[in-house]
Amino acid sequence: MNVRQLWKRATAAVAGRGIGAAASAFALVAAVVLGGTVSGMSSAEAKPAWPSGRWACSGQPVDAGNVITDHDPAGCGGFGSWYQQPVKDGIWTCSGSPVVAGYVITDHQTSGCRGIGSWRHSLVKDGIWTCSGSPVVPGYVITNHLRAGCGGIGSWQHGLPHDGIWTCSGSPVVAGYVITGHLQAGCDGAGAWYHNIARVGLWTCPGSPVPPGFRATTYSAGGCNGLGAWALARA
């Protein structure tokens, strides 16, 4: 049934069957009309959007809590347009999309997003593997490295800290922890550092934070696997 026939059916409902039937018929007409392609809009921009999704021209800000999931180079009069959607666990996003707080990047496809590359976003959890360049969620540390991971660009394992955990070079140090040992060959050759909860008498490595309530005192040249170390004492 085409739109003209649906419209006749709607107007007949007004005359013959009352307001309830008319409302249903008009809703059907609206669904058919809005579901069609809008004249002058590119095929990509005309696709149905899931709730809160929208197309935006290049250069426009991305709404808070949203990520970019598609790209139409012909959109916005040839300047290009980007499709925004609310983030969700496992969603694929285009290169350049923001990473929403609490999420990490877990996979990469070079051919995704119409050839510009796409990245998979996932909610962080203990032990998750992430791609090189992924943010580290506050409260997490980097615990392992796989050079061949994430399509060859390298991947890093994220975990929750605990007393005595080994972390990779470049990992953040969670508040209340200090660095107490170093292993040059750790983390698939990237180097690893031993983290402990701060307490009096620990020997800390160069570059280790000194938490509030503590101070670095005696120095030992042979500490921290030959890098040198300082003993912690109460402030």
Side-chain angles (χ1 to χ4, degrees):
M1 185 180 294
N2 59 33
V3 174
R4 185 187 296 268
Q5 290 170 320
L6 288 171
W7 187 259
K8 288 182 178 179
R9 176 176 165 185
T11 54
V14 173
R17 285 182 288 169
I19 295 174
S24 298
F26 280 122
L28 178 60
V29 174
V32 171
V33 173
L34 294 176
T37 300
V38 180
S39 177
M41 184 180 290
S42 72
S43 60
E45 289 172 316
K47 76 175 186 179
W50 66 292
S52 300
R54 71 179 183 91
W55 283 96
C57 295
S58 295
Q60 290 186 1
V62 179
D63 297 335
N66 279 19
V67 288
I68 300 170
T69 58
D70 199 2
H71 173 229
D72 181 16
C76 290
F79 290 98
S81 57
W82 303 86
Y83 194 64
Q84 302 182 19
Q85 292 179 244
V87 69
K88 62 179 180 178
D89 192 28
I91 196 170
W92 283 92
T93 72
C94 298
S95 294
S97 171
V99 182
V100 175
Y103 282 78
V104 288
I105 301 170
T106 56
D107 204 358
H108 177 227
Q109 288 184 340
T110 55
S111 61
C113 211
R114 307 188 192 216
I116 66 172
S118 59
W119 303 85
R120 189 175 185 180
H121 288 211
S122 301
L123 282 167
V124 70
K125 61 182 179 181
D126 191 27
I128 196 169
W129 283 92
T130 72
C131 297
S132 294
S134 172
V136 182
V137 173
Y140 280 77
V141 291
I142 302 170
T143 59
N144 208 350
H145 178 224
L146 184 61
R147 295 180 184 275
C150 210
I153 65 173
S155 58
W156 303 85
Q157 191 172 30
H158 290 208
L160 291 168
H162 59 78
D163 192 37
I165 193 171
W166 281 97
T167 72
C168 298
S169 295
S171 172
V173 182
V174 173
Y177 282 78
V178 290
I179 303 170
T180 59
H182 179 233
L183 185 60
Q184 189 170 353
C187 277
D188 200 16
W193 301 87
Y194 199 60
H195 287 211
N196 288 107
I197 297 173
R199 55 184 178 269
V200 173
L202 283 179
W203 289 91
T204 64
C205 299
S208 171
V210 178
F214 292 88
R215 60 190 175 91
T217 57
T218 309
Y219 175 72
S220 171
C224 199
N225 304 91
L227 297 178
W230 289 262
L232 279 184
R234 288 291 177 190

